[in-house]
Amino acid sequence: MIKDKTILIKNIYYMLSYAFTPLTQGGYENVEKEEFENIHNLFAAILAKGIGRQLKQGLYREYVERMESLATLRGKIDINGTVKNKIARQKVISCEFDELSENNLLNQIIKTTVMLLLRQRNVSPDHKSDLKKEMLFFSNVDDIDPATIQWSRVRFQRNNNTYRMLIGICQLVLEGMLLTTHSGEYKLATFIKPELMSRLYEKFIREYYNQEHKELNASASKIPWGLDDGIDTMLPVMQTDITLTKGEKTLIIDAKYYSRTLQQHCDRTTIYSNNLYQIFTYVKNKEVELKNKPHEISGMLLYAKTDEETYPDNDYKMSGNRIGVHTLDLNVEFSQIREQLDGIAARYFAYSKDFSAVSNSETIKELPV
C-alpha cells in the first residue's frame, strides 16, 4: 500500500488544487504557504478556509419533508396522525409540509467530517479553533454515520455548486481515511486509501495538462471497439484515464497508483502484464477509429513512483506504435513534478520518428510473456 509518507504532504495540496479548481481561485493563499506534517492538518486547513468562504455566501438550504402537529393547517393533513390527536383529545392537526432547511445531506457530510477532524490530536489548535467557530452555524445540522452515506445520492446544481470542492475533500476523508475501532467508534488513518488516491492521481494529471498545456486537448475519452460486424453486446466500455491530443498526434495515458510497479515472473522483473495489455488494446482500437484520418497514436503507463529500487522508465515500439512505461515521482518538490509532466508532453508531442530524442535514466527491457 502506498502511504502518504511517499508523497510530500504539500504535494497532496497541489494535487487537490488541480483536481478542485476553487483552491486556485484565491482565498487559499495562507493554506498554500503553510507547511504540513500530517494529512489531517492539511484537510483541516482546507476545510476551515473553505467553510468560512461558504458561510459568507450562506449555507445551502433545500426543502425537507416535515410532519408536525399544529393548531392551524400547514401543507396537507396527515389523516392517521390527526385521528390519533382526536382520540387523545388534542385540538391540533397533524400536518405534512416541506420546509427550507440547512439540515440536508451536503451540510451533514461537512459537519460529520469536521467533527471527526476535531477529534484528531495532530490537527493544530488554530485550525481546530476556526472549525469550532464555524460549527456554531451548523447547530441545526445533524451528524450522520459516515458509513451510511450514499455518495451516489450527492447531486450538484446551480444553487449548491460552490459545495463541490468541500464535498470532494470530505469524501477523501470519509471514504479514503475512515477506520473503525474494536469498540465500533471511528478514527482517521494517517494516509488515504489507495483506491481514493488513485482517483485523485488520475484527475490531477488530467487537470494539470488541461490547465498548464492549453496547446493540448486533455480529456477522459471513450474509445470504440474496432469491430468487424458492429456487434458490441456485453463488451466493456473502453474509458481512458487521460487522452492528450494535438493535431494528428494522440497520447493515451493510463495512470496507475499501486504499491508496486513491477512483478516477478520466472525469476525476471517485468511490467505487469494486464496493464501493458490494456494500454496496447486502447492504442490499437484508437488506431482503428482514426484509420481514415492522418494519425499518430502513442500510449503510456504512468505509475506513481514507489520506494522500489528498480522502476520502469522506457519506451517500446510495438506494431508501429510507441508505448511508454514511466513513473512519476511525487516525493519531490512540486517544481520537479511539473518538470516531469512537462517533459512527457515535450517528448510525446515533439520527437523524431525513431524516438532517438528520448533519453531514459533507467530501462526495463524485459516484457511480460
Side-chain angles (χ1 to χ4, degrees):
M1 178 182 296
I2 299 178
K3 299 189 178 183
D4 292 338
K5 66 181 181 180
T6 63
I7 303 178
L8 291 178
I9 299 296
K10 194 59 173 288
N11 285 339
I12 295 180
Y13 170 78
Y14 288 119
M15 293 170 72
L16 291 168
S17 296
Y18 282 97
F20 301 106
T21 51
L23 285 173
T24 64
Q25 294 175 348
Y28 291 87
E29 292 84 359
N30 291 339
V31 177
E32 184 176 357
K33 294 175 183 175
E34 190 171 341
E35 295 297 327
F36 298 98
E37 294 182 357
N38 63 80
I39 195 75
H40 301 155
N41 214 30
L42 170 64
F43 286 138
I46 294 173
L47 285 177
K49 183 64 68 175
I51 294 169
R53 287 167 63 88
Q54 185 60 51
L55 287 173
K56 292 178 181 178
Q57 301 177 52
L59 289 179
Y60 169 66
R61 298 195 299 165
E62 65 183 17
Y63 283 102
V64 295
E65 189 177 280
R66 288 192 58 188
M67 185 176 292
E68 193 173 337
S69 293
L70 304 170
T72 57
L73 177 62
R74 182 178 179 184
K76 60 183 181 180
I77 297 176
D78 171 43
I79 300 298
N80 291 335
T82 300
V83 169
K84 290 178 182 178
N85 290 336
K86 290 292 185 183
I87 294 173
R89 297 185 178 182
Q90 296 176 351
K91 296 180 180 181
V92 290
I93 306 169
S94 183
C95 303
E96 293 180 20
F97 56 93
D98 291 333
E99 184 175 66
L100 269 178
S101 171
E102 62 265 29
N103 191 21
N104 53 64
L105 180 60
L106 297 184
N107 290 323
Q108 290 167 355
I109 288 173
I110 290 174
K111 183 173 183 178
T112 299
T113 306
V114 169
M115 299 312 290
L116 273 169
L117 286 170
L118 287 174
R119 294 202 290 270
Q120 304 307 307
R121 288 180 297 178
N122 49 13
V123 173
S124 73
D126 287 344
H127 295 323
K128 282 188 175 181
S129 176
D130 290 340
L131 289 171
K132 286 177 181 177
K133 290 174 185 175
E134 291 165 351
M135 285 302 100
L136 295 175
F137 294 90
F138 286 72
S139 57
N140 295 324
V141 177
D142 295 333
D143 285 47
I144 54 177
D145 184 342
T148 65
I149 297 174
Q150 296 178 5
W151 295 99
S152 60
R153 287 179 52 211
V154 176
R155 293 287 184 272
F156 297 103
Q157 31 87 1
R158 184 170 56 86
N159 292 333
N160 63 16
N161 203 45
T162 54
Y163 274 68
R164 191 180 292 273
M165 185 272 292
L166 290 173
I167 296 301
I169 299 295
C170 291
Q171 187 173 9
L172 270 177
V173 175
L174 298 182
E175 269 201 308
M177 300 174 65
L178 199 65
L179 300 174
T180 306
T181 64
H182 292 298
S183 61
E185 296 180 349
Y186 291 117
K187 67 176 184 177
L188 295 179
T190 57
F191 56 89
I192 304 173
K193 294 174 185 174
E195 55 268 29
L196 270 292
M197 272 305 299
S198 180
R199 278 188 246 166
L200 176 60
Y201 177 62
E202 171 192 327
K203 189 172 183 181
F204 156 63
I205 295 170
R206 184 169 61 249
E207 290 305 316
Y208 178 86
Y209 286 118
N210 240 329
Q211 297 173 41
E212 303 295 340
H213 286 269
K214 301 295 186 183
E215 75 280 8
L216 303 176
N217 179 42
S219 65
S221 60
K222 292 180 181 178
I223 302 174
W225 288 91
L227 303 170
D228 295 330
D229 56 8
I231 299 174
D232 61 358
T233 305
M234 298 183 71
L235 286 178
V237 173
M238 277 192 287
Q239 177 84 51
T240 67
D241 292 343
I242 304 107
T243 299
L244 304 179
T245 58
K246 180 184 179 184
E248 298 175 2
K249 294 182 179 181
T250 298
L251 172 62
I252 301 169
I253 299 177
D254 212 17
K256 299 296 186 185
Y257 192 94
Y258 291 163
S259 58
R260 299 187 63 81
T261 58
L262 298 168
Q263 64 179 357
Q264 294 297 124
H265 185 86
C266 298
D267 298 323
R268 293 187 301 166
T269 300
T270 67
I271 300 159
Y272 277 106
S273 306
N274 290 341
N275 296 345
L276 198 59
Y277 301 156
Q278 181 183 28
I279 193 65
F280 186 74
T281 301
Y282 284 177
V283 166
K284 299 316 288 185
N285 279 275
K286 188 67 175 179
E287 280 246 294
V288 174
E289 180 188 0
L290 299 177
K291 64 183 178 181
N292 295 322
K293 301 177 182 178
H295 63 270
E296 189 176 305
I297 314 297
S298 302
M300 177 189 288
L301 296 173
L302 186 56
Y303 292 91
K305 189 176 179 182
T306 66
D307 56 3
E308 294 168 282
E309 291 184 5
T310 304
Y311 53 88
D313 186 15
N314 200 39
D315 286 279
Y316 304 96
K317 193 169 184 178
M318 299 182 183
S319 302
N321 300 100
R322 182 184 184 187
I323 305 292
V325 186
H326 300 282
T327 55
L328 182 65
D329 191 350
L330 299 171
N331 197 29
V332 293
E333 292 297 322
F334 192 73
S335 59
Q336 294 174 265
I337 296 177
R338 281 182 179 277
E339 289 177 8
Q340 294 174 75
L341 292 173
D342 294 345
I344 289 171
R347 291 199 307 272
Y348 278 80
F349 289 91
Y351 59 84
S352 61
K353 289 288 184 181
D354 62 0
F355 312 139
S356 59
V358 180
S359 78
N360 302 294
S361 57
E362 181 95 23
T363 9
I364 302 297
K365 295 189 179 297
E366 297 287 358
L367 290 180
V369 296

